[in-house]
Amino acid sequence: MDFALPWPTSQGEWLAWSSALWTVLLGLLFFLAPSLAFRALRLQVKPEKAAAIAEGRGRMSGFYLGVGLCCILLAQPLIYMALGFSWLFTAFGRLLSMMSDGANTPFNWASIVVELVLAALPLAFAFGFLP
């Protein structure tokens, strides 16, 4: 069996693929430079809690890389749906935090917009709204 990288063939698949690519790039940032990624997200790791860096390298990068690479390498609508719902729940969690934790900041508003776009692209493709 030969392995061939499935290349997007339609506009909708290209948009879903671009969301997966951004997810992979974010995962690589957490994997290779977690301190820089935490600073970009305005999070600070305490020096006595170095295990927090492991969360960035492990849990955060692993999820982003795993789901994003599966979308790129397998190009299946259900996997794109998983990516879209993951970003949608990320945005929902941020919205809950903005409403209940007092995290109503311009950074969070900008982040929720980005997360909703990253969710909408693969979901629109998976549900057939984009050709």
Side-chain angles (χ1 to χ4, degrees), residues 8 10-20 80 117 121-122 125 130:
S10 67
Q11 180 182 5
E13 192 173 3
W14 271 109
L15 292 173
W17 187 88
S18 65
S19 177
Y80 280 120
V117 168
L121 295 175
F125 171 70
L130 294 173

Side-chain angles (χ1 to χ4, degrees), residues 27-44:
L28 284 173
L29 180 65
F30 273 108
F31 188 73
L32 299 173
S35 296
L36 178 64
F38 283 141
R39 275 198 303 272
L41 293 176
R42 299 176 183 200
L43 300 173
Q44 184 177 10

